[in-house]
Amino acid sequence: MENQDKKRDRIIEIALKRFAHYGLSKTTMNEIADDLSMSKALLYYYFPDKNALYSTVINQLFEVHAIEIKKEIDQSASSAEALSIYLRKRHEFIKKYYILLEFNKSFNKESFAQKQNSFSTIRAKEKSFLTNILAQGIQSGEFKIDDPEKTEALIFDALLGIRFVVLEYNNSPQPDDELFNTILEKQQLLSDLIIRGLKA
Amino acid sequence: MENQDKKRDRIIEIALKRFAHYGLSKTTMNEIADDLSMSKALLYYYFPDKNALYSTVINQLFEVHAIEIKKEIDQSASSAEALSIYLRKRHEFIKKYYILLEFNKSFNKESFAQKQNSFSTIRAKEKSFLTNILAQGIQSGEFKIDDPEKTEALIFDALLGIRFVVLEYNNSPQPDDELFNTILEKQQLLSDLIIRGLKA
């Protein structure tokens, strides 16, 4: 059993490297099996398909990321600072794993649906994380928010929307680093403005 | 000359009715000519194509709209109130002319490019309008904004982004009234939050 867990961890580790370098769509299960000197059959024993493996990789990555954020947030002096840390860390995470998250790919309905599925666990955690920060800010009297859950969804949608708009304006099928940085910069500006707006 | 202007005005008036009821894509120049009991040749003498006529219609509509907004804004007590009036009036305008603006149509690159073109004059006016409100708020010490033009673009992108996101989530090719109201409601929430955030 322990050996099985080790093998599984090793697959995740190697897959992460491939996905981080080439992205989901340009990585095959064959390549991952080759990297591991493992038969394809054995690889499929652990992960039924590429999407399942991808989903596991990003969920595990996000776990580590969430622990790091929590450590920093626990030391923050205010809810506004906590929210600011969260959003900055989120930007850093996206920037670091830009290719893995396939943010260099154009947005299309099919890949969006597929990714929404892979990201659903992360999205749920992110949601409770953010909603908690907002709720604490309300309790301490620092934030003035009627509905923390609605506000959480609004922040998320507004940040995602900036991405859609920048991609549409530039009509770019494969946004390069520069365009990606434009998106992050605009999202950062909007985050700052929203945080100011939440204050009571 | 006066007769020519009258004819032109009459065309715009009748075209507005058609566009407001059926939208741009479902209106033909033939139908407009028929409504006017005018030959197609004469209609084309005034407007070289349907897009030129559409563009004139929405620009004229926006002129009237802008005058109305200005009247209300001139009576506002603060820059935050002025901005709030502007954004509320904008929502009302979009809601009233929802079909004319073809916001009931799915977003696609082609129609986006075509409309960006028709809306470019309006967009430029809207830009200067909003930037002026922000600049006045800075001058009076009511707003704390580093760069009013950048902030204006950010507000515009954030509101447009909400629309893109809601449409994607619902994967709806033809958003109905309910979905449209969801978009407006979310944009309103975001507007309110942003206005709070701009305050010094």
Side-chain angles (χ1 to χ4, degrees):
Chain A
M1 196 63 182
E2 200 189 327
N3 195 32
Q4 279 208 356
D5 281 352
K6 268 188 193 160
K7 263 207 178 105
R8 196 173 178 276
D9 286 349
R10 178 93 183 115
I11 293 169
I12 293 168
E13 184 194 333
I14 292 298
L16 168 60
K17 281 186 187 158
R18 275 261 162 205
F19 288 139
H21 202 263
Y22 302 101
L24 170 64
S25 51
K26 283 194 176 161
T27 295
T28 68
M29 288 294 261
N30 266 337
E31 287 164 342
I32 294 169
D34 281 352
D35 286 350
L36 288 156
S37 307
M38 182 183 274
S39 75
K40 242 181 111 178
L42 188 58
L43 178 57
Y44 278 105
Y45 166 78
Y46 287 98
F47 295 97
D49 57 44
K50 193 172 74 169
N51 282 330
L53 177 52
Y54 178 70
S55 197
T56 306
V57 165
I58 56 170
N59 280 317
Q60 190 158 312
L61 211 56
F62 190 78
E63 288 287 352
V64 178
H65 168 67
I67 292 165
E68 272 179 35
I69 293 179
K70 214 189 156 307
K71 220 189 287 174
E72 271 206 53
I73 284 179
D74 285 347
Q75 296 172 345
S76 64
S78 67
S79 293
E81 198 191 323
L83 185 52
S84 174
I85 288 168
Y86 177 79
L87 291 170
R88 178 173 51 77
K89 281 279 179 185
R90 184 179 188 273
H91 287 155
E92 283 170 13
F93 180 78
I94 290 173
K95 193 166 182 174
K96 186 171 176 186
Y97 295 109
Y98 169 47
I99 291 171
L100 176 112
L101 300 167
E102 298 222 308
F103 280 7
N104 55 332
K105 289 268 176 288
S106 172
F107 167 81
N108 71 60
K109 279 194 200 313
E110 206 182 313
S111 73
F112 183 71
Q114 188 194 55
K115 274 189 213 144
Q116 283 291 90
N117 206 32
S118 295
F119 287 115
S120 63
T121 315
I122 292 184
R123 180 71 191 102
K125 274 184 205 147
E126 198 171 20
K127 211 178 156 83
S128 65
F129 220 107
L130 257 179
T131 310
N132 275 345
I133 296 176
L134 298 181
Q136 275 177 24
I138 296 170
Q139 216 177 6
S140 69
E142 193 184 335
F143 288 155
K144 191 176 164 280
I145 303 167
D146 289 333
D147 183 336
E149 226 171 307
K150 209 176 197 174
T151 303
E152 189 281 333
L154 189 68
I155 294 173
F156 186 83
D157 289 353
L159 294 179
L160 186 60
I162 290 290
R163 180 171 136 71
F164 288 179
V165 168
V166 173
L167 290 181
E168 283 309 329
Y169 278 167
N170 288 275
N171 201 9
S172 169
Q174 297 283 101
D176 55 13
D177 285 0
E178 200 190 320
L179 200 54
F180 180 69
N181 285 332
T182 303
I183 294 169
L184 284 189
E185 199 193 308
K186 284 195 172 221
Q187 286 179 332
Q188 188 68 58
L189 278 174
L190 187 62
S191 299
D192 294 345
L193 193 55
I194 288 174
I195 291 171
R196 275 172 60 184
L198 293 174
K199 285 185 188 161
Chain B
M1 196 62 181
E2 199 188 328
N3 196 32
Q4 279 210 353
D5 280 352
K6 269 188 191 160
K7 264 208 175 105
R8 197 173 177 276
D9 287 349
R10 178 94 183 114
I11 294 169
I12 294 169
E13 183 195 332
I14 291 298
L16 168 61
K17 281 186 185 157
R18 275 263 163 204
F19 289 138
H21 203 262
Y22 301 100
L24 169 64
S25 51
K26 282 193 178 161
T27 296
T28 67
M29 287 295 262
N30 265 338
E31 287 163 342
I32 294 170
D34 281 352
D35 285 349
L36 290 155
S37 308
M38 182 183 275
S39 75
K40 241 181 112 176
L42 188 58
L43 178 57
Y44 278 104
Y45 166 78
Y46 286 99
F47 295 96
D49 58 43
K50 192 172 74 170
N51 282 329
L53 176 53
Y54 179 69
S55 198
T56 306
V57 165
I58 57 170
N59 279 317
Q60 189 157 312
L61 210 55
F62 190 78
E63 288 287 353
V64 177
H65 168 66
I67 291 165
E68 272 178 34
I69 294 180
K70 216 189 157 306
K71 220 190 283 173
E72 270 207 52
I73 284 179
D74 285 347
Q75 296 172 346
S76 65
S78 68
S79 292
E81 198 191 324
L83 186 52
S84 174
I85 289 168
Y86 178 78
L87 291 171
R88 178 172 51 77
K89 281 280 179 184
R90 184 179 188 272
H91 287 155
E92 284 171 11
F93 182 78
I94 290 172
K95 194 165 182 174
K96 186 171 178 186
Y97 295 110
Y98 170 46
I99 291 171
L100 175 112
L101 301 167
E102 298 222 310
F103 279 7
N104 55 331
K105 289 266 177 285
S106 171
F107 168 80
N108 71 60
K109 280 196 199 311
E110 204 183 314
S111 74
F112 184 71
Q114 187 195 55
K115 273 188 216 148
Q116 282 292 93
N117 205 32
S118 295
F119 286 116
S120 63
T121 315
I122 291 183
R123 179 73 191 101
K125 273 184 204 147
E126 198 172 20
K127 211 178 155 85
S128 66
F129 221 107
L130 257 180
T131 309
N132 274 346
I133 295 177
L134 299 181
Q136 275 177 23
I138 296 169
Q139 217 177 5
S140 69
E142 193 184 336
F143 287 155
K144 192 175 162 280
I145 304 167
D146 289 333
D147 184 336
E149 226 171 309
K150 210 176 196 174
T151 303
E152 188 282 333
L154 189 68
I155 294 172
F156 186 82
D157 289 353
L159 294 178
L160 186 60
I162 290 290
R163 180 171 137 70
F164 287 180
V165 168
V166 173
L167 290 181
E168 283 309 329
Y169 278 167
N170 288 277
N171 201 10
S172 170
Q174 296 282 102
D176 54 14
D177 284 0
E178 200 190 322
L179 200 54
F180 180 70
N181 285 332
T182 302
I183 294 169
L184 285 189
E185 198 193 308
K186 284 194 172 223
Q187 286 178 333
Q188 188 68 58
L189 278 174
L190 187 62
S191 298
D192 293 346
L193 194 55
I194 287 174
I195 290 171
R196 274 171 61 184
L198 294 173
K199 285 184 187 162

